[in-house]
Amino acid sequence: MQHVTLLPTTFLLLFCCLLPIADAAGAEENPRKELRSEISAMERSAGFTAKDTAYISKILTLAGEMRFYDADSLLKLSERSLTLSEAAGFLKGKAKSYLRLADYHSDKGDSEKAIELYEKGLALSEAGNFGDLRLSALNGLSGEYVYKGDIAGALTKYLEALELAEQTGELEMQSILNENIANLYAEQKDYDHCLEYFQRVKRINDKLGNDIIKAETMSNLASVYADMGNLEYAMFNINQSIDIFEENRIFDWLAYAYETKGKVYLKKFNYKWALYWYSQAEMLHMNLEDDRSRIDLLNGMAEAHFGQGNDSLASDYATQAFRISEKIRFTEGKRDCAQTLYRIHRKQEDYATALVYHEVFQKLSDSISKRENQQGLSLLKTRNEFEKQKEELIEENEKALAEQKRFVWIGWVALFIALIIIYLVYRSKRLQKQLAEELTTKKDILEVRKAELQANNQTKTKLFSIIGHDLRGPIGALQSLLTMYSEGDMKKEEFLSFIPKLKSDVDHIFFTLNNLLSWGYTQMEGAKTKPSNTILENIVQENINLLAEIADQKSIRVVSELQGNTEVWSDPNQIDIVIRNLISNALKFTPENGIVSIRAEDKDTHWVIAVRDTGVGIDRVTMSRLFQDSSNTSTYGTNNEKGTGLGLSLCKEMVEKNNGKIWVDSTLRIGSTFYFTLPKAAQKYSEAV
């Protein structure tokens, strides 16, 4: 569990003797009741004005207390404090109001809006030099980047916040930020670095001497140990944290601790006790309003019921968790719930539903950019190594300076010794300069290597992304069907009913592989453009014949309007790829009984080729990024045909290699026309050969 912005992800039960739910709610309500009373007293006092900064601050404090108990109150109080702060010119109140509003949208799963508000709060905090709010804003931003799967972005903000916390001596925020970085390593299964950061957190917590903060760390550490399979250490840490939370009646963290204890029992396959702790957590959670936290709790209960053979209850809990994940757009939760539902429906021999959830799981697993996360952590390791080298060089410099001072002091004793010291000082300065130059050189080398690594990995990242996203899914579905059929889980008739889908997936894989190999070949600088006099209408007709079956399936008429004199100077293999992808795209986005036509317009020095369809059209936003280098836009066709988003990038690259240009004109619900130019075949080109 991450601090401050990432609240407990499941909730707990009470140890041995249960605390009554009403009692718990009452204890939690007291701070909020006291704040309401104080606000009411201020409003009734003589000379009261709503522009009083103390009054606005009190409203903001109440808003923070309401976060996981009444989201509507959090929103209304935050909006009210923002209005009052603007009227009073209270910059700090305005900054804090944006952070509270960001918390609300974060809990609702609207990360884009939350990031926008956190950034507004951060900008005001920096303008007003409010160090505490700046740390909170950076930590909140980092949490949203984690929810979005942008680990590199989260690390950047965490490190920026950590550096600020170290400069200002904010030990509590240092503890929180180091623990959040440890959790990032845990999510990547890099437990060595994770535990290294937890050791740092423990040292900071010892300086703080706060038992509640120590208990929070032990709860997170227990969850990590449970994921590692070190269940004894997990149980030791969680029991200690439970004692502290119960004594201090910290119910949100106590809930998380008990849920973690349920997870430990689940990993021990002790489903009875796992359900015991999960159920108590569910009871406490009734007094909280935190959808994101409920997902792991409900999915954990689903797994425990499934382990006991209660398939119906397991399905109910997992489905509920899946729906909450969809509601707040929580990708990781949706993925985990899909996996649980796949196991449940497969056991119930509901193979069609099982396959649906299996495909959802595969798709979401691929969409969570683990490769980018690992690269982000690698950058952090590189930074740590650089910082370590810098500290070693600084330490050497400090030793050299200390030696210099000692010789200067001795120099007062005798002129001869002074002369020697002068020489040593000169040598020491030269050594210091040399060390500084070496430090700069090493830094430059690290930056160059970092840039080279990013450049070299860009192509591989894109290749693996497409392979994982567009090939792994269909192949995984095919593998699942074959496995169920070979193991006797599926009858022959059921298997044969999936044949049309399998054929569509295989066709998609073949077309994707063809594009992928062509693009990869060009990216690895293995493809050289070899232009020659090329008859364009022959290439067009061959591709019309090749794609005839797809066109027939949708009753689409494909017409070539090219005349017999369309001769261009280009590489025929590359232009073949361009024609095939554009016709394939036109078929994909044209509904049944449509028309796709190919024509060429004669210009002075070149041909303008147009592939027109009567399809669904493209909106302006999508059109603006179709041919961008960083774009990998992919959508489903009118019959849910799949695509990689690679085809248009490949077309652009191939056309430009042949000294041409490519663009698109489209109108929604009327159709699209893709244009590209190619040089005319001329005598001078023949001589160039």
Side-chain angles (χ1 to χ4, degrees), residues 397 400 425-441:
N397 284 343
V425 169
Y426 171 76
R427 189 182 69 173
S428 177
K429 288 183 177 179
R430 187 172 60 181
L431 176 61
Q432 182 180 356
K433 181 179 179 181
Q434 182 181 351
L435 291 172
E437 290 175 351
E438 290 179 1
L439 176 61
T440 302
T441 301

Side-chain angles (χ1 to χ4, degrees), residues 349-613:
E349 298 184 353
D350 184 358
Y351 300 116
T353 305
L355 182 60
V356 170
Y357 281 113
H358 184 269
E359 290 186 341
V360 171
F361 170 74
Q362 289 279 16
K363 180 178 179 181
L364 293 178
S365 296
D366 295 337
S367 69
I368 298 171
S369 184
K370 294 182 179 178
R371 177 169 298 276
E372 291 180 3
N373 296 346
Q374 291 169 356
Q375 289 176 350
L377 294 178
S378 296
L379 291 176
L380 178 62
K381 295 176 186 176
T382 302
R383 178 184 183 277
N384 289 340
E385 291 172 0
F386 169 73
E387 292 293 338
K388 186 177 180 180
Q389 290 181 4
K390 184 173 74 173
E391 290 174 1
E392 291 174 352
L393 289 173
I394 291 173
E395 185 178 353
E396 291 178 8
N397 284 343
E398 289 176 348
K399 290 180 180 178
L401 289 172
E403 184 179 3
Q404 173 185 329
K405 290 179 181 179
R406 184 168 62 88
F407 280 117
V408 171
W409 181 81
I410 296 174
W412 290 103
V413 179
L415 179 60
F416 178 73
I417 298 176
L419 293 174
I420 296 176
I421 291 175
I422 292 172
Y423 169 73
L424 291 174
V425 169
Y426 171 76
R427 189 182 69 173
S428 177
K429 288 183 177 179
R430 187 172 60 181
L431 176 61
Q432 182 180 356
K433 181 179 179 181
Q434 182 181 351
L435 291 172
E437 290 175 351
E438 290 179 1
L439 176 61
T440 302
T441 301
K442 289 182 178 180
K443 178 181 177 182
D444 292 340
I445 291 172
L446 285 174
E447 292 295 334
V448 171
R449 288 178 179 174
K450 172 185 171 183
E452 290 175 351
L453 176 63
Q454 290 174 334
N456 291 336
N457 280 341
Q458 185 174 5
T459 296
K460 292 187 289 184
T461 300
K462 190 168 184 180
L463 283 169
F464 288 134
S465 173
I466 295 170
I467 291 171
H469 184 272
D470 290 278
L471 297 182
R472 186 178 176 185
I475 292 173
L478 175 59
Q479 182 186 38
S480 298
L481 282 171
L482 292 175
T483 299
M484 287 190 286
Y485 180 67
S486 62
E487 292 179 355
D489 292 337
M490 179 183 289
K491 296 179 181 179
K492 180 177 180 180
E493 291 76 11
E494 291 178 294
F495 179 78
L496 290 176
S497 68
F498 284 98
I499 291 299
K501 183 181 185 305
L502 294 179
K503 182 182 183 303
S504 175
D505 285 348
V506 171
D507 289 342
H508 168 69
I509 292 168
F510 178 78
F511 191 82
T512 300
L513 277 176
N514 197 26
N515 273 350
L516 194 60
L517 291 173
S518 299
W519 181 84
Y521 192 42
T522 62
Q523 295 300 304
M524 298 304 177
E525 299 183 354
K528 303 298 182 182
T529 301
K530 300 178 181 179
S532 63
N533 285 341
T534 303
I535 306 299
L536 193 60
E537 54 264 26
N538 294 342
I539 296 176
V540 171
Q541 192 58 49
E542 288 173 0
N543 280 286
I544 290 175
N545 296 336
L546 179 66
L547 299 170
E549 183 179 350
I550 297 175
D552 291 342
Q553 289 175 357
K554 298 176 71 173
S555 298
I556 296 173
R557 187 159 57 96
V558 183
V559 180
S560 172
E561 299 177 4
L562 273 67
Q563 302 300 320
N565 62 341
T566 312
E567 189 172 3
V568 296
W569 178 256
S570 62
D571 186 317
N573 292 325
Q574 293 179 351
I575 299 308
D576 180 60
I577 291 172
V578 174
I579 295 294
R580 187 181 314 134
N581 272 280
L582 292 181
I583 295 177
S584 176
N585 268 4
L587 292 172
K588 175 181 174 183
F589 292 103
T590 300
E592 294 184 355
N593 299 311
I595 299 175
V596 175
S597 62
I598 304 95
R599 58 184 175 83
E601 184 178 353
D602 189 354
K603 299 295 184 180
D604 290 338
T605 60
H606 61 274
W607 289 96
V608 177
I609 299 93
V611 178
R612 184 189 303 274
D613 64 59

